[in-house]
Amino acid sequence: MNFYSKFIILGVLIIGMAGGMVSTLFSFQKVSQDITAHTNLSAWSLAQLELEYQKFCSELQLYRAGQSSSEKLSLAYDVVWNRMDVFLHGSENEAVRKAFGAEVLVQNVLKSIQAHEALIDLPAKPDSPQLAEWEKQLLLYEPAIRQLMIQNFTGPGVTHGIDNIAVTIKQISWVLSVVSLISLLMSYLLFRESRKHWYLSLHDPLTKLINRAYFQQLLKERCHQARINKYSVNLCLIDITRFHEINNLFGYQSGDELLQQISEKLRKTFSSQTLIARTGGSEFALLLTDDEIYHLLPLTLQQLKTEVKRYDPANRIHLCCGISFFPEQSSSSIELFQFADLALSAAKKNPTHLQYFNSVMLSDFQRRRELATHLNVELTNPDTTSLYLCYQPIHLLDNKDKLGLEVLLRWNHSLFGYIAPPEIIEIAEEHGMGNALGDWIFQRIKSDLSKLPFWQLERLSVAVNLSNSLFNLDLPDRIQQLMAHSPIVYEQLVLELTETIALNDFSVSQQILKSLRQMGIRIALDDFGTGFSSLAYLKDLSVDKLKIDKSFIQQVHLDSRQLSLLKHITELAHDLDLTVVAEGVESSAELEIVTAMGIEEIQGYHYARPLELPSLINYLSRSFKQETSV
């Protein structure tokens, strides 16, 4: 039974209880009305009967005492006769006269009255013995009539309605008791379910540590207390680099086991007062004291690294740690977390894999934040000249009438000078401008290429690097929109992606690449050889080209082992029916070797450096003759 079903059942029970109460109200109202009607009717009829009977008896006594007239006696006689006749024959008195022998009693009294009618019609003298005898007879009936009145109000007839009410109350009490117990049980189950959902909303289900959102809330409170009470707060972020490769190579169960063991080690090592959280896929956060930071943490990290190595004997992944301090370095919990994250990023590039946030990082952070602000402005300005594109030629050895161009991003900042392309992309990705940057690049490509004559355009292919934020299931539709009114067609477009992007979610990557290739777009795997997992997935990746990283090309003629490795990579790619592109070819010796190996496409300074648009136009004019047939 799920959470919502329990709410539905509870709602039905509440509605049932409400319906039961309404039904009870109507039932009580009906019984009350019946009892009231019975009481009013019986009270009125019996009271009138007794009253008129007593009046007649009193009038007879007064007459015999010489204090009343025969006319008054006759009138009282007629009234009591009529009252008894109505009681015996009226339909409204049926229920009353059938109870307690009332009908027989009144008939006997009426017969006595009727039997002495002559004493009324021919008034007997007051001292008549017949009147005296009649009077005694009538007085004998008075107690019986009085008793009839008492029985009507206190006997079983009256209590019958009350008994019905009691039975109804008992039945409803049982029903309400059962419904109340079920409601209490359901409320308890819902309370437990709510507590469970509340717990899951604040904790990581795998490690049972608090999650990122809850940790940041508690971190804010701790920083506030630290500011008031004048003490320090030290934040430590721990992450496993390339953790996804454990999942890919050894399975998600192994990855989960490692995370659970790390969380258990942290929980056992540090005190119960220490805030420990899982803040990301493989990231943990700890709020530590000075003593724990400088003494306990290094030993713990060493033990954790040993544990990580059990899952990666080849030592391809690392446990990294970044630390920041409050209030010495940061002014808020947000900055404290941000600075620890920057220190963690630096630790991933540091041989010791441990980094404390420092002033250099603070300066770099402020610089990148300012660059992010300026980049956002640049991306909204289609006519900007400080942010622009360069194009590096890619020569096809087997087809001199064709030429490839790799699009390269450049930014000449007015304050910070030239910004490296990887940093531009990092800044854009970190600040949520990845899609905007991709849109800007495609719009600028269309603008630049539209300045080329058609006879040059039809000989070109254009390679564009994809960033992480662009590579998702929406990419095919996005490319379709971006290529609208483009001077080149899909078949001239080559999308380059690194193995890190391609293997992040392999099944999704296959789906994206398949859709792109169906559109006619070619796919190139860039920087091949810089990662260890490519060979395991290369056969299943839907790519057309393999771009060998320049680290395998440069000075290849001077290193026999490098030469052998390059040869085998090339042979592997050709066996998989892939076109091979050699990056970073800078000398004739390097060109001679890659050409001899059968590498189809060459990119590097030997032919040309990245060219701005005017230089590209001149380069194409020298490379192609207008009269050349394709």
Side-chain angles (χ1 to χ4, degrees), residues 120-260:
I120 301 300
D121 291 338
L122 297 172
K125 294 181 178 181
D127 56 354
S128 170
Q130 291 88 347
L131 284 180
E133 184 63 28
W134 190 26
E135 180 183 349
K136 291 180 181 180
Q137 187 178 356
L138 290 175
L139 291 175
L140 290 175
Y141 286 114
E142 268 194 349
I145 294 175
R146 166 55 57 182
Q147 186 63 28
L148 179 63
M149 193 76 161
I150 294 171
Q151 286 180 326
N152 182 71
F153 288 100
T154 61
V158 175
T159 60
H160 179 70
I162 298 175
D163 292 340
N164 287 339
I165 293 177
V167 171
T168 303
I169 290 174
K170 187 175 182 180
Q171 292 174 346
I172 292 174
S173 297
W174 275 106
V175 172
L176 292 180
S177 297
V178 172
V179 173
S180 298
L181 286 174
I182 296 176
S183 299
L184 286 173
L185 177 61
M186 293 301 300
S187 298
Y188 171 71
L189 293 176
L190 285 173
F191 174 74
R192 281 206 329 175
E193 194 80 16
S194 298
R195 280 183 61 87
K196 179 181 176 182
H197 281 268
W198 174 79
Y199 179 86
L200 290 176
S201 70
L202 302 178
H203 293 78
D204 171 50
L206 177 64
T207 63
K208 303 301 184 292
L209 298 174
I210 61 177
N211 59 24
R212 184 187 185 96
Y214 191 34
F215 179 79
Q216 289 181 332
Q217 176 185 335
L218 295 177
L219 179 63
K220 183 178 180 180
E221 295 174 3
R222 291 286 182 93
C223 288
H224 178 69
Q225 292 298 323
R227 181 181 287 110
I228 294 175
N229 299 319
K230 308 297 182 184
Y231 64 84
S232 298
V233 172
N234 308 317
L235 176 61
C236 170
L237 294 183
I238 299 174
D239 192 20
I240 304 173
T241 60
R242 303 170 78 166
F243 174 76
H244 68 278
E245 293 171 359
I246 294 180
N247 291 331
N248 292 337
L249 292 178
F250 306 111
Y252 284 92
Q253 183 176 354
S254 295
D256 290 347
E257 288 176 358
L258 177 57
L259 293 175
Q260 288 173 329

Side-chain angles (χ1 to χ4, degrees), residues 295-333:
H295 297 96
L296 191 55
L297 180 62
L299 178 62
T300 305
L301 290 176
Q302 190 59 44
Q303 293 171 344
L304 291 177
K305 287 177 182 178
T306 303
E307 187 65 35
V308 169
K309 193 172 182 180
R310 289 180 54 246
Y311 289 83
D312 178 38
N315 200 31
R316 293 166 297 197
I317 62 177
H318 301 283
L319 194 73
C320 300
C321 178
I323 301 170
S324 63
F325 306 92
F326 175 91
E328 293 88 344
Q329 295 174 333
S330 52
S331 59
S332 67
S333 61

Side-chain angles (χ1 to χ4, degrees), residues 291-546:
D291 183 65
E292 290 173 329
I293 282 285
Y294 294 109
H295 297 96
L296 191 55
L297 180 62
L299 178 62
T300 305
L301 290 176
Q302 190 59 44
Q303 293 171 344
L304 291 177
K305 287 177 182 178
T306 303
E307 187 65 35
V308 169
K309 193 172 182 180
R310 289 180 54 246
Y311 289 83
D312 178 38
N315 200 31
R316 293 166 297 197
I317 62 177
H318 301 283
L319 194 73
C320 300
C321 178
I323 301 170
S324 63
F325 306 92
F326 175 91
E328 293 88 344
Q329 295 174 333
S330 52
S331 59
S332 67
S333 61
I334 296 176
E335 276 194 352
L336 178 64
F337 201 98
Q338 200 168 33
F339 291 169
D341 195 48
L342 292 173
L344 178 62
S345 298
K348 294 177 181 179
K349 304 171 187 177
N350 189 328
T352 64
H353 304 299
L354 175 64
Q355 181 65 60
Y356 296 91
F357 188 76
N358 54 43
S359 58
V360 175
M361 293 180 186
L362 179 59
S363 299
D364 185 61
F365 168 74
Q366 293 171 338
R367 170 183 170 275
R368 288 170 71 92
R369 185 164 58 182
E370 188 172 353
L371 284 173
T373 302
H374 294 169
L375 178 61
N376 188 47
V377 174
E378 295 285 358
L379 295 178
T380 58
N381 180 12
D383 300 320
T384 179
T385 56
S386 58
L387 186 67
Y388 58 94
L389 298 180
C390 285
Y391 303 86
Q392 186 171 29
I394 303 173
H395 282 259
L396 285 63
L397 296 182
D398 59 347
N399 191 343
K400 303 298 182 181
D401 291 331
K402 297 285 187 178
L403 188 69
L405 299 175
E406 181 177 3
V407 179
L408 301 171
L409 186 63
R410 296 292 184 265
W411 189 11
N412 185 12
H413 194 274
S414 58
L415 180 60
F416 300 110
Y418 282 94
I419 311 300
E423 186 178 15
I424 301 173
I425 296 172
E426 282 181 13
I427 293 172
E429 295 283 327
E430 288 172 0
H431 292 82
M433 294 182 285
N435 287 334
L437 179 59
D439 293 351
W440 184 91
I441 290 173
F442 271 91
Q443 295 301 329
R444 181 56 66 93
I445 290 172
K446 290 194 292 186
S447 175
D448 288 350
L449 295 185
S450 65
K451 297 178 174 61
L452 301 178
F454 176 75
W455 62 272
Q456 290 182 355
L457 275 175
E458 63 180 357
R459 292 167 169 79
L460 299 177
S461 63
V462 180
V464 182
N465 289 279
L466 291 176
S467 63
N468 280 313
S469 58
L470 286 174
F471 195 71
N472 54 55
L473 291 172
D474 295 330
L475 179 60
D477 292 336
R478 193 176 192 87
I479 293 296
Q480 190 173 17
Q481 295 174 2
L482 293 173
M483 287 288 287
H485 309 296
S486 174
I488 60 173
V489 295
Y490 290 134
E491 287 73 15
Q492 293 176 270
L493 180 62
V494 179
L495 296 179
E496 297 185 2
L497 68 156
T498 64
E499 64 181 75
T500 303
I501 297 176
L503 301 180
N504 187 41
D505 191 330
F506 189 68
S507 60
V508 173
S509 297
Q510 287 180 307
Q511 185 178 345
I512 297 171
L513 297 180
K514 182 179 179 181
S515 299
L516 292 171
R517 296 186 74 201
Q518 288 175 346
M519 295 167 63
I521 298 171
R522 288 173 291 169
I523 308 297
L525 190 61
D526 198 12
D527 298 334
F528 182 80
T530 58
F532 74 93
S533 59
S534 298
L535 295 179
Y537 293 95
L538 185 58
K539 64 182 179 63
D540 296 318
L541 276 176
S542 301
V543 299
D544 303 277
K545 295 185 177 185
L546 197 67

